[in-house]
Amino acid sequence: MLVCFIRLQYIRRHSRFIKLERNVEEPLVSIIILNYNAGKLLEECIDSIFQSNYKKYEIILVDNKSNDNSHIVCKQKFQSINLIENKENLGYCEGNNVGIRASKGEFVIILNPDTIVDPDWINELFLGYQKFGDGIYQPKFLTIDDKSIIQSTGNMIQIFGFGYSRSKGEKDQNQFNKIEIVDYASGTCLFTSKKILDDLDLLDSFLFAYHDDLDLCWRARMQGIHSYYVPNSIVFHPSEGFSFKWSNFKFFLLERNRLYCIFTHYSRKTILKFLPSLIIVDIAVSFFYFKNGLLSEKIRATLNILKNFKKINSRYIEIQKKRRVDDKKIILDFKNEVILPKGTNLKNKVPFNPILRFLSKLCRLLI
């Protein structure tokens, strides 16, 4: 039934003259928007959703105890949305989990409140699903104020746990114009089935925010589920998200969560083989943080990992029990270096990528 529906949408979009049954039922899509003081951006996001050509959806607005009343304003304007008000700021992960648990759809979209969606965004995501089946999907992200500039054409994982957006800051010249497998789908807009999210035990609330999408898709890959980029599904996003931006707290979360993913996702055997390289990378990261006045955040991140060692070990056991794909196969897709977006104002006096490339190639030989 779903396949018939998707074909019908494709035919309508591309003017193919084929007769299909008309009594095709559309699957319900639950669109989850997590809000924390998004202001006018939230209203603009929801307004764009209502312009979607795909019509069978529910909007679940989860508010993480905002104090700007943006969620109240939106509920008054868009009365059909389901508003859930958390009593405290649960972070990105658990905040979205609240929405996922309340969702009724067969499919779920996690969407940031500072985005604007193209009318065909959902239809195109379904076309990707029709082609590849179970997986985690993301659209192409373009910059809101300059729609010719790419925000993401899929996200990549470096072998030591760093994540980055492919082609961020580049001019969009359709250089990535086919549906393809990527290392992980961006949490800015993430489409999958509710069953997959349930099987993966949702987002990991320990992470709070950042690398949550990397973590989710890495765990999915361990179970044989790929992530995909769908170029004809378009979502517009600011050059830098409104939440945290380049704050000290963001750098703390990025580093702590990177280490958390390494120690919960790689097998103990892999960690032992990688250990000398991981130590060298850790020293290089410390220098990088030091040059940017963030050494205290690096120290905090490391201490937090040590403090939560028992929790991390327990999580490791849970994840490894569900593993179906070994590390050797997974890291074939991982990258050797990190590509920072154009215009990033970060100081780097450490030959970071040459170090990463050398150690990554060495680790690939060891595993």
Side-chain angles (χ1 to χ4, degrees), residues 313-366:
N313 188 58
S314 176
R315 182 62 173 159
Y316 167 82
I317 294 170
E318 291 176 8
I319 292 173
Q320 298 301 320
K321 281 181 179 178
K322 295 185 176 182
R323 176 189 285 276
R324 291 170 50 197
V325 182
D326 63 28
D327 289 335
K328 186 173 183 178
K329 187 172 183 179
I330 290 173
I331 67 169
L332 286 174
D333 297 322
F334 286 0
K335 308 303 176 283
N336 289 337
E337 60 183 19
V338 176
I339 307 300
L340 291 176
K342 292 185 177 181
T344 300
N345 187 25
L346 291 172
K347 300 174 184 177
N348 184 16
K349 299 298 182 182
V350 182
F352 202 61
N353 270 327
I355 292 172
L356 289 183
R357 282 195 295 269
F358 173 77
L359 295 175
S360 296
K361 291 176 181 178
L362 178 62
C363 287
R364 290 181 190 276
L365 294 174
L366 295 173

Side-chain angles (χ1 to χ4, degrees), residues 194-204 215-225 264-267 313-327 330:
K194 187 173 182 180
K195 181 181 185 303
I196 285 179
L197 290 172
D198 287 339
D199 289 346
L200 293 171
D201 299 322
L202 310 184
L203 298 168
D204 191 330
D215 164 76
L216 180 76
C217 296
W218 191 343
R219 287 189 283 119
R221 184 69 187 92
M222 293 168 71
Q223 296 185 34
I225 301 168
T264 55
H265 296 12
Y266 280 138
S267 70
N313 188 58
S314 176
R315 182 62 173 159
Y316 167 82
I317 294 170
E318 291 176 8
I319 292 173
Q320 298 301 320
K321 281 181 179 178
K322 295 185 176 182
R323 176 189 285 276
R324 291 170 50 197
V325 182
D326 63 28
D327 289 335
I330 290 173

Side-chain angles (χ1 to χ4, degrees), residues 10-22:
Y10 186 86
I11 289 162
R12 286 174 177 170
R13 182 174 175 82
H14 297 275
S15 301
R16 304 268 182 97
F17 296 98
I18 300 175
K19 293 182 180 180
L20 290 176
E21 295 181 10
R22 295 187 179 182

Side-chain angles (χ1 to χ4, degrees), residues 136-147:
I136 303 176
Y137 295 80
Q138 77 153 78
K140 177 192 286 185
F141 297 113
L142 298 175
T143 306
I144 284 180
D145 51 357
D146 185 349
K147 296 178 174 59

Side-chain angles (χ1 to χ4, degrees), residues 23-54:
N23 58 342
V24 177
E25 183 180 350
E26 299 177 343
L28 177 66
V29 178
S30 297
I31 304 171
I32 298 163
I33 305 172
L34 180 66
N35 179 57
Y36 180 68
N37 295 326
K40 189 72 174 178
L41 296 172
L42 176 63
E43 186 177 336
E44 293 171 352
C45 173
I46 295 176
D47 188 56
S48 73
I49 293 172
F50 278 104
Q51 309 308 313
S52 299
N53 292 328
Y54 190 93

Side-chain angles (χ1 to χ4, degrees), residues 272-329:
L272 285 173
K273 291 178 179 179
F274 283 11
L275 191 57
S277 296
L278 288 171
I279 292 171
I280 295 172
V281 169
D282 202 65
I283 293 170
V285 171
S286 297
F287 274 110
F288 177 83
Y289 271 59
F290 173 75
K291 291 299 297 183
N292 288 278
L294 296 161
L295 183 59
S296 61
E297 305 308 320
K298 168 58 182 168
I299 294 171
R300 280 182 61 210
T302 302
L303 291 176
N304 192 272
I305 291 295
L306 294 173
K307 177 184 175 182
N308 289 283
F309 177 78
K310 288 185 178 179
K311 182 180 291 187
I312 291 170
N313 188 58
S314 176
R315 182 62 173 159
Y316 167 82
I317 294 170
E318 291 176 8
I319 292 173
Q320 298 301 320
K321 281 181 179 178
K322 295 185 176 182
R323 176 189 285 276
R324 291 170 50 197
V325 182
D326 63 28
D327 289 335
K328 186 173 183 178
K329 187 172 183 179

